[in-house]
């Protein structure tokens, strides 16, 4: 054996080389097969995933949208139109868009609110943020948008916002008849005035049953004449400004049917935007406020005395000296200080003479008469806003004395006007209504409270008080051709439990044409001042000319023809 001998490899034989090549090739094929299998599996997984996504998308596309608690524009939201007696629209439904949000779909709350505030600058940031930062499926953001606001919000392109079509109430006349028509809330439900009356008559029940659709509701016609309503509103607005009053009111009543042709209370509000409707100064003074009506009550005291049979037009009463009773002194404003006849007591508005006429009737008879003509009870009419009159808990002689000339008890101006209707229409007390009423229907609900003869005498006194040249306190209410009659009332207001010397509540009750009355007009001014510095502010100087203007403008529209002859004043001669 030799050391250091190198090992020499022996060349492989041909069979061996071929076998090795086959093994290498097999390994190479096995490795490639496994890689191909992995690729196929990966592709299958990817196809499976995309297939599942596609199937889900198809499912979502075909499936109904998730139910969101959205309010629907249901037929129950519809309301009937309110029309005036001539068919003019006073209130109607219109469609508006309301903005809502789906908080789950809001991507950036801060950005969404900032964009909305560019269109709705008064949108409260914190309140809106709390609404959007929730899991709620639906929240209101703003109801009753204008078309312009809806268009601008759409242009913002904020996801998660949407609009629902709702019905809202629209009043074409704005504030013209606001205290008659009343209000609806955000859900179109009546909450005041004739709107509430309509709901209370069954509309709310129909809405609850889903039977109050826009095609099933007939318009509700009111007794109001929109033309007269506008004139009354206009004249009272001017008088309130001219005489620097804090409030004003008026009503026109049909003397034969009791229909309210027009009624206004100022300050009022716009029912299309009633943001200030609940302010205390904007209450309906004509039916929801009670006031001491002052010397207008002498109308009722005089009618009571005449109807009792204990007093006649030819009787006289001593008004020479003031009346002292119960620590009080009753005197006349610009008194004549002499014996006065009944007509003189009326036209000179004597407190002393009126109190003595009431004394002839007596305490019990006095209260019974006021009760009979509806001045002590809550007035029955369609408007829900009606106040209860106030009176002394226990009537004493001092109460009868002061109430005879309109102090010591308070009533609503509307029921005072309704009682005045009975004094001049032949003695029939007719409940006032805001709905159309025929003469036959009025006769069916009327109550005879004084005799036709007494009513005729009252008409005479009414005209005497207004006719030029008689010295009556209501001469500024006259309108040529319409034979206006009426009675003034100037009441001192109670301030801190005492009657004020410089704060008054003035009223005027008028009827025309006095020979055959068709309409009664009542006007009140709260705390009027002199038209010019230093001028007096009694009723004859402010409410009387206001009534004159109202009659002059409304009488032709109401179909009352003027009579420029003298035959209508014949009734004055018959009682002289």
């Amino acid at each position: 054996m030799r050391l250091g001998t190198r090992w020499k490899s022996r060349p492989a034989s041909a069979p061996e080389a071929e076998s090795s090549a086959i093994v290498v090739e097999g390994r190479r094929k096995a490795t490639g097969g496994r890689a191909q299998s992995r690729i196929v599996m990966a592709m299958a997984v990817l196809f499976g995933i995309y297939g599942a996504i596609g199937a889900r998308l198809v499912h979502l596309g075909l499936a109904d949208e998730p139910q969101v608690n959205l309010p629907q524009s249901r037929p129950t939201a519809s309301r009937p139109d309110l029309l005036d007696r001539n068919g003019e629209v006073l209130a109607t439904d219109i469609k508006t868009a309301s903005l809502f949000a789906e908080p789950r779909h809001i991507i950036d709350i801060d950005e969404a609110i900032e964009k909305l505030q560019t269109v709705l600058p008064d949108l409260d940031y914190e309140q809106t943020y709390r609404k959007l930062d929730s899991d709620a499926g639906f929240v209101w953001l703003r109801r009753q948008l204008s078309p312009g606001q809806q268009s601008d919000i759409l242009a913002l392109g904020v996801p998660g916002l949407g609009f629902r079509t709702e019905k809202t109430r629209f009043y074409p006349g704005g504030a013209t008849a606001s205290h008659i028509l009343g209000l609806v809330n955000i859900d179109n439900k009546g909450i005041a005035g004739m709107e509430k009356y309509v709901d209370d008559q069954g509309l709310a029940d129909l809405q609850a049953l889903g039977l109050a659709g826009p095609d099933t509701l007939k318009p509700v016609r009111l007794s109001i004449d929109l033309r007269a309503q506008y004139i009354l509103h206009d004249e009272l607005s001017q008088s309130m400004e001219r005489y620097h009053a804090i409030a004003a009111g008026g009503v026109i009543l049909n003397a034969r049917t009791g229909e309210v042709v027009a009624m206004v209370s100022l300050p009022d509000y716009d029912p299309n935007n009633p943001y200030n409707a609940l302010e205390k100064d904007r209450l309906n003074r004509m039916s929801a406020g009670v006031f001491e009506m002052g010397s207008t009550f002498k109308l009722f005291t005089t009618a009571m005395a005449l109807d009792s049979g204990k007093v006649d037009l030819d009787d006289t009463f001593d008004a020479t000296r003031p009346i002292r009773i119960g620590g009080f002194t009753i005197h006349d404003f610009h008194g004549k200080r002499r014996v006065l006849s009944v007509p003189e007591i009326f036209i000179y508005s004597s407190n002393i003479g009126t109190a003595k006429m009431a004394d002839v009737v007596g305490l019990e008879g006095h209260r019974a008469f006021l009760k009979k003509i509806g001045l002590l009870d809550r007035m029955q009419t369609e408007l829900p806003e009606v106040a209860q009159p106030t009176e002394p808990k226990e009537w004493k002689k001092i109460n009868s004395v002061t109430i005879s000339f309109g102090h010591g008890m308070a009533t609503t101006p509307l029921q005072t006007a309704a009682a005045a209707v009975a004094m001049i229409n032949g003695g029939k007390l007719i409940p006032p209504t805001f709905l159309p009423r025929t003469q036959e229907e009025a006769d069916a609900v009327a109550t005879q409270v004084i005799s036709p003869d007494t009513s005729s005498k009252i008409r005479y006194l009414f005209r005497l008080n207004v006719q030029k040249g008689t010295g009556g306190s209501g001469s500024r209410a006259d309108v040529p051709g319409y034979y206006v009659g009426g009675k003034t009332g100037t009441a001192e207001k109670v301030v801190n439990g005492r009657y004020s010397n410089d704060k008054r509540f003035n009223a005027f009750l008028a009827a025309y044409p006095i020979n055959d009355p068709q309409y009664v007009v009542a006007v009140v001014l709260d705390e009027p001042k002199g038209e010019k510095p230093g001028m007096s502010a009694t009723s004859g100087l402010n409410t009387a000319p206001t009534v004159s203007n109202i009659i002059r403008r409304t009488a032709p529209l109401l179909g009352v023809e003027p009579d420029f002859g003298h035959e209508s004043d014949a009734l004055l001669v018959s009682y002289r």
Side-chain angles (χ1 to χ4, degrees):
M1 178 176 184
R2 294 180 180 178
L3 297 174
T5 303
R6 294 183 177 178
W7 175 262
K8 294 183 179 179
S9 59
R10 183 175 56 86
S13 61
E16 289 177 342
E18 185 176 355
S19 175
S20 296
I22 292 172
V23 170
V24 171
E25 183 66 21
R27 289 175 179 173
R28 194 174 293 162
K29 288 182 178 181
T31 302
R34 287 194 296 271
Q36 186 174 7
S37 297
R38 285 195 294 269
I39 291 173
V40 171
M41 291 179 64
M43 290 178 65
V45 170
L46 289 174
F47 279 123
I49 293 173
Y50 284 110
I53 293 174
R56 180 59 177 166
L57 291 175
V58 171
H59 172 73
L60 292 175
L62 296 177
D64 293 334
E65 293 184 5
Q67 294 296 315
V68 180
N69 186 27
L70 298 179
Q72 300 179 2
S73 299
R74 301 169 297 179
T76 54
S78 298
R79 301 186 62 79
D81 287 351
L82 298 183
L83 310 178
D84 86 332
R85 64 187 306 111
N86 301 311
E88 296 293 332
V89 176
L90 300 173
T92 188
D93 282 348
I94 60 173
K95 293 181 179 180
T96 59
S98 291
L99 176 66
F100 70 87
E102 299 175 75
R104 291 192 293 257
H105 297 165
I106 299 294
I107 299 173
D108 188 327
I109 297 177
D110 292 304
E111 181 184 16
I113 298 176
E114 289 174 2
K115 287 185 175 181
L116 284 175
Q117 286 181 327
T118 63
V119 180
L120 306 173
D122 59 337
L123 189 69
D124 186 88
Y125 188 94
E126 294 182 359
Q127 185 182 48
T128 306
Y129 193 97
R130 287 194 298 270
K131 288 182 177 181
L132 298 181
D133 189 25
S134 68
D135 295 328
F138 168 90
V139 292
W140 282 122
L141 294 183
R142 179 64 59 86
R143 308 281 289 274
Q144 300 178 1
L145 298 172
S146 69
Q149 289 173 323
Q150 181 186 16
S151 177
D152 291 343
I153 292 173
L154 283 171
L156 297 177
V158 178
L161 300 181
F163 300 92
R164 298 292 292 184
T165 299
E166 293 191 296
K167 289 183 177 67
T168 189
R169 207 62 165 162
F170 176 63
Y171 303 88
T176 304
S178 57
H179 283 112
I180 296 174
L181 301 178
L183 289 169
V184 297
N185 61 14
I186 194 70
D187 296 313
N188 221 22
K189 308 292 185 183
I191 58 174
M194 292 303 290
E195 295 280 26
K196 186 176 189 304
Y197 168 79
V198 170
D199 279 30
D200 293 342
Q201 297 308 298
L203 177 62
D205 295 334
L206 290 176
Q207 289 175 337
L209 295 172
L211 301 177
D215 299 328
T216 62
L217 297 174
K218 294 182 179 180
V220 176
R221 192 178 295 265
L222 305 184
S223 61
I224 304 305
D225 188 312
L226 186 57
R227 302 168 301 174
Q229 181 72 24
Y230 171 80
I231 292 171
L232 181 63
H233 190 281
D234 181 56
E235 288 294 340
L236 289 175
S237 298
Q238 292 185 49
S239 291
M240 188 173 166
E241 181 178 357
R242 181 181 303 118
Y243 303 113
H244 317 288
I246 64 171
V251 63
I252 302 175
L253 284 170
N254 186 313
R256 299 171 180 173
T257 65
E259 294 170 291
V260 178
V261 178
M263 188 181 76
V264 173
S265 177
L266 300 176
D268 53 11
Y269 58 89
D270 185 350
N272 294 308
N273 184 27
Y275 68 95
N276 56 356
L278 296 180
E279 292 179 2
K280 65 178 183 178
D281 289 337
R282 298 180 188 274
L283 85 161
N284 182 358
R285 285 172 167 79
M286 297 305 293
S287 66
V290 293
F291 306 92
E292 294 187 355
M293 296 298 294
S295 293
T296 57
F297 254 53
K298 292 171 183 173
L299 162 66
F300 309 120
T301 305
T302 305
M304 172 187 69
L306 293 172
D307 204 58
S308 70
K310 299 177 180 180
V311 175
D312 204 352
L313 287 177
D314 296 329
D315 291 340
T316 58
F317 294 85
D318 188 2
T320 304
R321 291 181 295 275
I323 298 174
R324 291 180 174 81
I325 180 173
F328 297 92
T329 301
I330 310 301
H331 58 81
D332 286 343
F333 182 73
H334 294 321
K336 301 299 181 180
R337 300 185 183 278
R338 60 177 174 83
V339 174
L340 300 175
S341 67
V342 170
E344 287 177 323
I345 290 172
F346 193 84
I347 67 174
Y348 300 146
S349 201
S350 170
N351 295 336
I352 299 170
T354 305
K356 290 188 175 183
M357 285 196 293
D359 190 46
V360 170
V361 176
L363 189 68
E364 294 183 0
H366 190 180
R367 187 183 185 282
F369 183 80
L370 295 180
K371 178 81 171 178
K372 181 170 64 172
I373 63 175
L375 291 176
L376 299 183
D377 298 316
R378 187 175 184 270
M379 178 178 57
Q380 298 301 310
T381 190
E382 295 84 11
L383 282 187
E385 299 84 21
V386 176
Q388 171 72 38
T390 62
E391 61 172 314
K393 292 183 178 180
E394 180 183 356
W395 277 53
K396 299 179 181 180
K397 187 171 182 177
I398 181 62
N399 303 121
S400 179
V401 167
T402 59
I403 290 172
S404 72
F405 51 82
H407 285 77
M409 68 166 288
T411 62
T412 70
L414 178 57
Q415 75 184 125
T416 305
V421 168
M423 301 300 102
I424 54 87
N425 72 353
K428 296 178 180 180
L429 180 65
I430 309 172
T433 181
F434 291 85
L435 299 174
R437 179 190 282 162
T438 65
Q439 181 70 63
E440 292 73 20
E441 292 170 337
D443 290 340
V445 298
T447 303
Q448 194 76 34
V449 291
I450 61 174
S451 70
D453 182 63
T454 299
S455 180
S456 181
K457 294 175 181 177
I458 290 297
R459 292 198 298 272
Y460 159 68
L461 294 175
F462 248 39
R463 178 59 185 162
L464 189 66
N465 191 43
V466 173
Q467 188 181 26
K468 303 293 185 181
T470 63
S473 60
S475 60
R476 287 179 174 81
D478 201 16
V479 181
Y482 288 104
Y483 301 99
V484 178
K487 183 68 187 78
T488 53
T490 304
E492 295 177 342
K493 292 183 67 174
V494 177
V495 179
N496 298 324
R498 300 176 63 89
Y499 284 105
S500 171
N501 292 325
D502 59 355
K503 292 186 178 181
R504 303 175 179 87
F505 185 84
N506 289 1
F508 195 93
L509 293 173
Y512 76 97
I514 202 61
N515 59 308
D516 185 19
Q518 295 186 42
Y519 295 97
V520 164
V521 180
V523 163
V524 298
L525 288 175
D526 196 353
E527 296 187 21
K529 311 295 187 299
E531 186 175 1
K532 297 179 181 179
M535 289 185 64
S536 178
T538 56
S539 177
L541 298 176
N542 42 58
T543 56
T546 301
V547 165
S548 177
N549 292 337
I550 293 168
I551 294 175
R552 182 180 295 108
R553 294 177 64 184
T554 59
L557 296 176
L558 298 176
V560 183
E561 296 183 2
D563 176 8
F564 294 102
H566 301 286
E567 58 273 15
S568 294
D569 270 349
L571 82 97
L572 297 183
V573 178
S574 64
Y575 286 106
R576 282 176 179 166

